[in-house]
Every structure is written in structure tokens, then in C-alpha cells.
Amino acid sequence: MCATCGCDQPGGVTITRINTEEGEFRPVSNHGLVTAHHHHHGGQESSSEKRRIDLQQDILSKNDTQAGHNRHHFEAGHILAVNLVSSPGSGKTSLLERTLADLKDQYKSYVIEGDQQTLNDANRIAATGCEVVQINTGKGCHLDADMIHRSIHQLDPQDGSVVFIENVGNLVCPAMFDLGEQARVAIISVTEGDDKPLKYPDMFESSQLCIINKIDLLPYVNFSVEKTKEYARKVNPRLSFIELSATRGDGMGKWYEWLKNEYEAIGSRKEVAASV
Amino acid sequence: MHELSIVMNIIDIATEQVQQAHARKVDSIELEIGTMAGVEMDALDFSWSAAVRNTVLSDAERVVDRVPAIARCGNCGLEFRVSEPFMPCPACDNVLVEYLQGKELRVKSLVVS
């Protein structure tokens, strides 16, 4: 059984590098989480004697260790890695398309796309000229640190760049999995319920920034920006907010300013880490 | 359903321990899961029964210690039991609290044979 999603196929996860130069996709790797498929059957010298083992091991320690390696790799190369999380349809890909187009002269950017199926999002990103890999998780509901590790090897982002990770559209499961990112951004759109931060608190608790997208639609929907902020602050008093419309462009400047601040903060984080 | 990933990670940990101990299987496993760990116990049960088949955990008794969430208020310092997720300090209503326990997600111990 696949460790990520529980499907019966060993090849549950595929990672595909989109070739931007030729304008078509080219699968570079197509293998599952083989390393996670342990099917051992005990040692040769097994005895039937009962033994108690006191372990106290964190269940997600493997992911957390890998996430730590990813983070170290990013920081060593002064690379800003941002993990974008939201429900499906909040506008993550549209936000990225506009961001990549607007900031193409400021940063060298890369995108890691996570979806259960299809290369659609990666092809949208590739059309902007940005280098991108698509992770298809099969039946899996979230990205994990190992998938990011393998994607980084394919992308090989240059020092001083920005890596955007678009997580699988899901407000529950991605919250638990550290990818090694420097910042997590939760996106909610005004066509969703304004009580989402209360219904799905873990995601808002684990994020540093909350983007409220599609504000151009506010006149047509029953959504209170202030209530959303109030609810989100209940689960995470430190959360920052940016209201924007990725399609019309309102508020995008504030998002770029936030990215710039995060980008500039990497150097100071490195110094703190070195002095510890 | 990330509970399945969690179960698969538990199976990996148990398999490693069984191998290191030159044992064959796990008789019982004790897990520590905090009430604020983000784990839905029904989903864990469901994933468990499907995933442990043909593994070292297939016949293991599973014991789960649910660790209650306790938080300390960042304003008045009161330590209190968190009875509902993300509740503010019951004394001063401050929302900035630090969780002292309740986020545990650990394999505490195993009995192997």
C-alpha cells in the first residue's frame, strides 16, 4: 500500500518536469514513494520472547527531518520557499500566474505544483515562462517533505531565487506536513464561507499570512472580511492579512511587499541559525 | 485523509523496531495522541484496519493515550485545560496562549515478540 495515499499501486506519486523551452511536458521521473514501501518480514534470528521497547518517537519525525533538510538547503542558497495552502478553487494558480508575470524582473522564480491528477496547473505556470514541476499525488491529499526534496532535485533552483509551492487544494491535511518552507500562506476567497477559519482552524493556525482573494466579487456575495479576520485571529493571533483580487489586480502590491520582506529576512534567519 | 499517512508512518516505525529487535511482530503498541494534534480518531481507526493488514502490526493491540490540551495564557500566565479548540484564557479572555501539551503525536512504546 502506498504510504501517501493508501492506494494499492506502488507508483501513487509522480513528479513531472515541464519543459518550458519546448513548450511541452517531458516526464523526467515517474516513480512512487518506493523508499516508504517497507514490507519486511522480521529477522532470521527471531525469538518469541516478549520485549517492551520504550520509544517516545514522533510519528511524523521522518517528514520533519526531511523538512529540516529542505529548509537548510533553501536557507543556504538564500532561497525563499513559500507554501500556498487553500481549498480547491480559491485562486492559488491565478495568484501565481499574475505574481510570476509581475515579478519576473525582480526574482528568478520556480513553482512546484501539487494536484491529485493532471498537468493542467503546471502547464498554466509553464505558459508564463517559469520553470515548474508538477507533483501528482494520486489519491494523496497533501504534499510532504520528501516530494519537495525530489522536486528540488529536478528543478535545481539557483541561489537567491524564490520557490512557490502550490499545495494540494485541501484545508485539512496539508496543515500537518512541514515541507521546509520559510512561510506558509493560507488563501481564502470571498466566495467561500467567512467562518472557514473556525471550521478548519489548523491551517490558519499554522500559517503566517492569510490572503483574502477575489475581493472584486464582494458586492455580489455574502462574505464579511472583518468576520473572517476576527475568526482567524481567534485561532492565530499573529496572522497577517492581505486582501486582493488576483484577476483584477487590486491589493497585489501589498502581496509583493510581503514577499520582498520575507525575501530580505532570509539573510537574518541564516545569521540567527549560525549563531545558535 | 492524512490519518492514513499517519498510520503508514506508524507502520514504518514499528517495522524498523521489530527488525532491530530481531523480533517477528508487535504484540501491543502504545500511542500518545493529543486532543489538539489534528487527528480524527474515527479516521485513524478506519485507516488502521485497512493499512495494518500483512504488516508487523496486523495483530497488535493498540492503546491510545489521549493527552488533554493544557495552555498557558500569554497575558496573565494562567494555566488552563483547553476544553474546546482555540479557546481564549478563561480569566482574561486573551487569545494569545501557548500550548503546553495536547499536540503530541508519538509512538510511546511497543511490545514485540
Side-chain angles (χ1 to χ4, degrees):
Chain A
M1 188 186 279
C2 167
T4 303
C5 59
C7 72
D8 290 329
Q9 278 89 42
V13 177
T14 58
I15 297 182
T16 309
R17 174 80 185 258
I18 308 290
N19 189 336
T20 48
E21 280 166 23
E22 292 171 25
E24 59 185 32
F25 68 83
R26 172 173 52 98
V28 174
S29 165
N30 187 10
H31 55 87
L33 285 174
V34 179
T35 52
H37 286 259
H38 299 305
H39 292 292
H40 304 295
H41 299 283
Q44 296 291 315
E45 319 138 51
S46 55
S47 68
S48 57
E49 192 189 320
K50 279 187 198 291
R51 266 154 303 161
R52 184 187 156 88
I53 304 165
D54 283 313
L55 202 57
Q56 297 289 355
Q57 184 175 341
D58 281 336
I59 290 169
L60 295 180
S61 55
K62 207 165 104 184
N63 185 74
D64 293 343
T65 304
Q66 183 62 61
H69 287 308
N70 294 350
R71 186 167 286 116
H72 180 77
H73 178 87
F74 289 136
E75 285 178 3
H78 200 103
I79 296 166
L80 174 65
V82 182
N83 181 7
L84 303 170
V85 294
S86 80
S87 313
S90 67
K92 291 190 293 301
T93 313
S94 301
L95 177 72
L96 275 180
E97 282 175 313
R98 186 160 197 136
T99 304
L100 295 168
D102 287 353
L103 300 185
K104 65 175 185 292
D105 297 330
Q106 266 123 303
Y107 309 104
K108 170 73 181 165
S109 299
Y110 302 84
V111 174
I112 298 172
E113 276 289 338
D115 283 297
Q116 286 196 321
Q117 302 288 349
T118 82
L119 300 170
N120 294 356
D121 280 3
N123 286 330
R124 279 172 67 185
I125 297 298
T128 70
C130 179
E131 292 185 50
V132 55
V133 292
Q134 174 81 53
I135 302 173
N136 285 130
T137 57
K139 293 189 175 54
C141 48
H142 58 87
L143 298 179
D144 66 28
D146 181 62
M147 297 176 200
I148 298 307
H149 167 78
R150 286 158 51 199
S151 301
I152 297 167
H153 273 283
Q154 294 210 9
L155 276 178
D156 195 17
Q158 68 182 48
D159 286 359
S161 58
V162 179
V163 175
F164 293 100
I165 303 165
E166 184 180 334
N167 218 312
V168 178
N170 178 342
L171 263 186
V172 185
C173 308
M176 293 194 79
F177 293 84
D178 184 6
L179 305 180
E181 73 270 25
Q182 275 101 9
R184 188 175 290 187
V185 178
I187 300 163
I188 178 171
S189 60
V190 304
T191 52
E192 303 169 45
D194 49 22
D195 57 351
K196 245 183 189 169
L198 293 181
K199 288 178 171 167
Y200 302 97
D202 293 323
M203 197 62 88
F204 292 88
E205 194 213 4
S206 66
S207 295
Q208 287 77 48
L209 173 69
C210 174
I211 286 180
I212 302 174
N213 191 18
K214 307 189 189 177
I215 55 165
D216 51 311
L217 299 179
L218 274 173
Y220 314 104
V221 292
N222 187 17
F223 182 95
S224 162
V225 171
E226 285 317 306
K227 263 190 195 161
T228 301
K229 289 183 178 176
E230 185 194 322
Y231 294 147
R233 282 199 189 102
K234 271 189 188 172
V235 299
N236 182 355
R238 295 180 181 87
L239 194 63
S240 314
F241 297 90
I242 294 173
E243 297 146 47
L244 55 79
S245 163
T247 51
R248 216 173 53 182
D250 322 36
M252 292 297 284
K254 285 184 187 149
W255 160 235
Y256 300 150
E257 199 179 315
W258 182 89
L259 281 172
K260 184 166 170 271
N261 288 337
E262 288 295 312
Y263 185 81
E264 285 168 358
I266 304 171
S268 54
R269 277 201 203 96
K270 260 164 73 181
E271 283 157 28
V272 171
S275 66
V276 169
Chain B
M1 196 171 71
H2 57 281
E3 283 79 3
L4 188 54
S5 301
I6 290 168
V7 174
M8 298 309 288
N9 276 286
I10 297 171
I11 294 171
D12 279 350
I13 292 168
T15 305
E16 201 179 295
Q17 292 301 317
V18 164
Q19 279 185 318
Q20 277 177 18
H22 300 295
R24 282 186 310 114
K25 62 183 173 64
V26 178
D27 293 319
S28 67
I29 183 165
E30 197 180 0
L31 308 175
E32 225 174 21
I33 302 180
T35 53
M36 292 278 291
V39 175
E40 207 44 67
M41 293 311 287
D42 287 346
L44 188 82
D45 281 343
F46 178 79
S47 308
W48 187 276
S49 55
V52 301
R53 261 182 259 153
N54 303 318
T55 73
V56 295
L57 284 170
S58 58
D59 298 317
E61 183 199 359
R62 193 189 67 200
V63 179
V64 181
D65 298 341
R66 292 290 271 159
V67 184
I70 293 178
R72 184 192 290 132
C73 175
N75 180 38
C76 72
L78 178 77
E79 287 183 16
F80 60 97
R81 178 127 172 202
V82 182
S83 54
E84 59 182 276
F86 305 101
M87 67 179 271
C89 172
C92 68
D93 212 33
N94 174 39
V95 290
L96 208 66
V97 301
E98 175 199 358
Y99 287 96
L100 303 177
Q101 62 170 61
K103 296 208 165 195
E104 294 78 2
L105 190 54
R106 254 183 240 142
V107 177
K108 204 170 164 189
S109 68
L110 302 149
V111 176
V112 301
S113 64

